[in-house]
PDB file of all heavy atoms in Angstrom:
ATOM      1  N   HIS Y   7      92.084 103.202  85.466  1.00  0.00           N
ATOM      2  CA  HIS Y   7      91.751 102.908  84.085  1.00  0.00           C
ATOM      3  C   HIS Y   7      90.708 101.810  83.935  1.00  0.00           C
ATOM      4  O   HIS Y   7      90.556 101.238  82.844  1.00  0.00           O
ATOM      5  CB  HIS Y   7      92.997 102.506  83.286  1.00  0.00           C
ATOM      6  CG  HIS Y   7      94.148 103.434  83.517  1.00  0.00           C
ATOM      7  ND1 HIS Y   7      94.068 104.781  83.200  1.00  0.00           N
ATOM      8  CD2 HIS Y   7      95.377 103.247  84.022  1.00  0.00           C
ATOM      9  CE1 HIS Y   7      95.238 105.340  83.543  1.00  0.00           C
ATOM     10  NE2 HIS Y   7      96.017 104.469  84.022  1.00  0.00           N
ATOM     11  N   LEU Y   8      89.969 101.499  84.999  1.00  0.00           N
ATOM     12  CA  LEU Y   8      88.946 100.470  84.909  1.00  0.00           C
ATOM     13  C   LEU Y   8      87.614 101.108  84.579  1.00  0.00           C
ATOM     14  O   LEU Y   8      87.354 102.263  84.949  1.00  0.00           O
ATOM     15  CB  LEU Y   8      88.820  99.713  86.216  1.00  0.00           C
ATOM     16  CG  LEU Y   8      90.001  98.820  86.583  1.00  0.00           C
ATOM     17  CD1 LEU Y   8      89.806  98.307  87.995  1.00  0.00           C
ATOM     18  CD2 LEU Y   8      90.115  97.670  85.617  1.00  0.00           C
ATOM     19  N   PRO Y   9      86.700 100.381  83.912  1.00  0.00           N
ATOM     20  CA  PRO Y   9      85.312 100.869  83.785  1.00  0.00           C
ATOM     21  C   PRO Y   9      84.777 101.139  85.185  1.00  0.00           C
ATOM     22  O   PRO Y   9      85.058 100.398  86.139  1.00  0.00           O
ATOM     23  CB  PRO Y   9      84.609  99.673  83.139  1.00  0.00           C
ATOM     24  CG  PRO Y   9      85.669  98.856  82.510  1.00  0.00           C
ATOM     25  CD  PRO Y   9      86.884  99.019  83.345  1.00  0.00           C
ATOM     26  N   THR Y  10      84.014 102.206  85.276  1.00  0.00           N
ATOM     27  CA  THR Y  10      83.475 102.607  86.600  1.00  0.00           C
ATOM     28  C   THR Y  10      81.952 102.638  86.559  1.00  0.00           C
ATOM     29  O   THR Y  10      81.357 103.104  85.583  1.00  0.00           O
ATOM     30  CB  THR Y  10      83.996 103.991  86.974  1.00  0.00           C
ATOM     31  OG1 THR Y  10      85.445 103.926  87.076  1.00  0.00           O
ATOM     32  CG2 THR Y  10      83.465 104.431  88.341  1.00  0.00           C
ATOM     33  N   LEU Y  11      81.348 102.122  87.610  1.00  0.00           N
ATOM     34  CA  LEU Y  11      79.916 102.194  87.821  1.00  0.00           C
ATOM     35  C   LEU Y  11      79.680 103.014  89.062  1.00  0.00           C
ATOM     36  O   LEU Y  11      80.152 102.663  90.151  1.00  0.00           O
ATOM     37  CB  LEU Y  11      79.314 100.769  87.982  1.00  0.00           C
ATOM     38  CG  LEU Y  11      77.830 100.723  88.297  1.00  0.00           C
ATOM     39  CD1 LEU Y  11      76.977 101.310  87.180  1.00  0.00           C
ATOM     40  CD2 LEU Y  11      77.384  99.292  88.646  1.00  0.00           C
ATOM     41  N   SER Y  12      78.991 104.134  88.925  1.00  0.00           N
ATOM     42  CA  SER Y  12      78.710 104.975  90.047  1.00  0.00           C
ATOM     43  C   SER Y  12      77.234 104.890  90.392  1.00  0.00           C
ATOM     44  O   SER Y  12      76.377 105.078  89.513  1.00  0.00           O
ATOM     45  CB  SER Y  12      79.075 106.432  89.693  1.00  0.00           C
ATOM     46  OG  SER Y  12      78.933 107.272  90.807  1.00  0.00           O
ATOM     47  N   VAL Y  13      76.929 104.544  91.635  1.00  0.00           N
ATOM     48  CA  VAL Y  13      75.539 104.394  92.081  1.00  0.00           C
ATOM     49  C   VAL Y  13      75.328 105.138  93.370  1.00  0.00           C
ATOM     50  O   VAL Y  13      76.243 105.406  94.136  1.00  0.00           O
ATOM     51  CB  VAL Y  13      75.143 102.900  92.263  1.00  0.00           C
ATOM     52  CG1 VAL Y  13      75.337 102.133  90.976  1.00  0.00           C
ATOM     53  CG2 VAL Y  13      75.939 102.272  93.362  1.00  0.00           C
ATOM     54  N   GLN Y  14      74.022 105.453  93.634  1.00  0.00           N
ATOM     55  CA  GLN Y  14      73.667 106.062  94.888  1.00  0.00           C
ATOM     56  C   GLN Y  14      73.442 104.991  95.958  1.00  0.00           C
ATOM     57  O   GLN Y  14      72.965 103.884  95.660  1.00  0.00           O
ATOM     58  CB  GLN Y  14      72.376 106.897  94.729  1.00  0.00           C
ATOM     59  CG  GLN Y  14      72.496 108.110  93.865  1.00  0.00           C
ATOM     60  CD  GLN Y  14      73.411 109.132  94.500  1.00  0.00           C
ATOM     61  OE1 GLN Y  14      74.366 109.595  93.918  1.00  0.00           O
ATOM     62  NE2 GLN Y  14      73.079 109.547  95.738  1.00  0.00           N
ATOM     63  N   GLU Y  15      73.802 105.331  97.181  1.00  0.00           N
ATOM     64  CA  GLU Y  15      73.546 104.380  98.279  1.00  0.00           C
ATOM     65  C   GLU Y  15      72.080 104.006  98.311  1.00  0.00           C
ATOM     66  O   GLU Y  15      71.196 104.858  98.197  1.00  0.00           O
ATOM     67  CB  GLU Y  15      73.938 105.070  99.597  1.00  0.00           C
ATOM     68  CG  GLU Y  15      73.759 104.212 100.829  1.00  0.00           C
ATOM     69  CD  GLU Y  15      74.220 104.902 102.095  1.00  0.00           C
ATOM     70  OE1 GLU Y  15      74.716 106.030 102.026  1.00  0.00           O
ATOM     71  OE2 GLU Y  15      74.077 104.310 103.183  1.00  0.00           O
TER      72      GLU Y  15
END
Side-chain angles (χ1 to χ4, degrees):
Chain Y
H7 312 301
L8 291 173
T10 300
L11 175 64
S12 185
V13 301
Q14 291 294 125
E15 181 178 358

